[in-house]
Amino acid sequence: MTKSRTAAVIGGGVAGPVTAMALRRAGIEATVFEAYAHGAEGVGSFLTVAVNGQRALRELELLDVVRRHGFDCPRFEFVSGKGKPLGGFPAAPERTADGLTSRTLRRTDLYTALRDEALRRGVPIEYGKRLVTTERTSDGVTAVFADGSRFTADILVGADGLLSRTRDLIDPAAPKPRYVPLLNTGGFTRAAVPGDPGTMVMYFGRDAFFCHMLAPDGVVWWFANVPQVRELSPAELAAITPDQWRRRLIETFAVDTTPARAVVEATEQVAQPWNTYDFPSVPTWHDDRMVLVGDAAHAASPTSGQGASLAIEDALVLAKSLRDAPDAATAFPAYERERRERVERVVAEAKKRSADKMPGPIGRVVRDLVLPLVFARRAKSGGDDWVLSHEIHWA
């Protein structure tokens, strides 16, 4: 690429620093702007970086940086709310030569590792920079922030997440995130749970979904999805006290023959609930100066286990596209062509799986009868290999 040599990256979470490092590898000087006045240390629960995301990290020489944290989760096992095994399958295609499998780590550890590496590589990161608007220049774009400051670059990348301001500036008619009627929560504790260390054991309870995994140090990492038909506002979510939320979870899981209730009771600090969202499709990913990556362009529900991995893939593909094209107006459509079909298929598959977590009484019976057949077929056929085997090579 010959014309665009500087970039403003909006968003300092996971996607932002990875994108900035990828752009720098393509010869583009990138600066990250984070809306909040501080970093995200200690924020959030945990997530999984799937093998496809790890391979993208490896292409950017970031895999070792990330794998210093967390632990491998090589297998998924599924159980009904009555304690009946439903089946399971490996978390990665067994025929892979590199031996990678899903890696689970605290969100704060992933964020901190990527931020620190970005700083080490010379990426400037500025905090308290909430994007308000953009202005076109003769050969670039100027970001205007809420504190009155401005920054001009050749291109602007929106890595600003589900509620992306960049997306609205590119397309004021852009759709809003779609509410998936589930509340999320989770925590860490020590409790007796079945399963080998690292195995994700998932329970389709009568009224909610529960998952736990045993870390190598003996700590149980867990999350739960609780159906919530009406979308709750931020104020309503914040008004739920820790005692109220704990009591609701305990009552919800009391009807199941699973470890869920005991694990919740043993957890000192249960995460406050948060809503689940996805994006079926974002019609416009870019104009000739601005472009979206990660959740700003496509957000799958957490059921996919692909949120971080898809964002990392985006960063790699965008940087390659800018490296290989004569200008951003050519690179951005090439990036979108390579990414859109894949990510929207992941979003659609995740939506179907979310529906399995909230069926009615008849649906639960059908689900528990059908899922063993589905899991057996999936284990035999490779199931999600089309997602996990995806590779993007820098060269």
Side-chain angles (χ1 to χ4, degrees), residues 330-351:
T330 306
F332 290 168
Y335 155 73
E336 181 179 354
R337 283 194 300 272
E338 186 166 340
R339 298 299 295 156
R340 181 179 283 277
E341 182 179 357
R342 171 173 170 77
V343 299
E344 290 189 353
R345 184 178 173 189
V346 172
V347 171
E349 291 292 331
K351 174 66 174 175

Side-chain angles (χ1 to χ4, degrees), residues 47-103:
L47 51 76
T48 295
V49 181
V51 292
N52 53 297
Q54 292 178 59
R55 292 195 185 98
L57 286 171
R58 184 171 57 200
E59 293 296 308
L60 296 170
E61 299 179 356
L62 290 169
L63 181 57
D64 291 342
V65 172
V66 169
R67 286 187 63 86
R68 293 170 192 159
H69 304 278
F71 55 93
D72 283 345
C73 289
R75 186 165 180 81
F76 302 136
E77 293 288 347
F78 299 87
V79 185
S80 76
K82 296 180 180 180
K84 176 186 175 183
L86 300 175
F89 46 84
E94 293 181 314
R95 56 182 175 272
T96 56
D98 55 20
L100 291 175
T101 191
S102 289
R103 188 81 174 178

Side-chain angles (χ1 to χ4, degrees), residues 253-288:
F253 290 120
V255 298
D256 297 329
T257 308
T258 75
R261 177 176 178 176
V263 169
V264 172
E265 290 176 334
T267 302
E268 182 176 344
Q269 185 174 357
V270 177
Q272 277 290 103
W274 67 93
N275 291 329
T276 305
Y277 297 95
D278 70 4
F279 263 117
S281 180
V282 175
T284 305
W285 283 23
H286 63 85
D287 57 21
D288 61 339

Side-chain angles (χ1 to χ4, degrees), residues 203-214:
Y203 301 88
F204 291 94
R206 191 192 75 176
D207 298 320
F209 182 85
F210 181 80
C211 173
H212 66 69
M213 61 212 81
L214 184 63

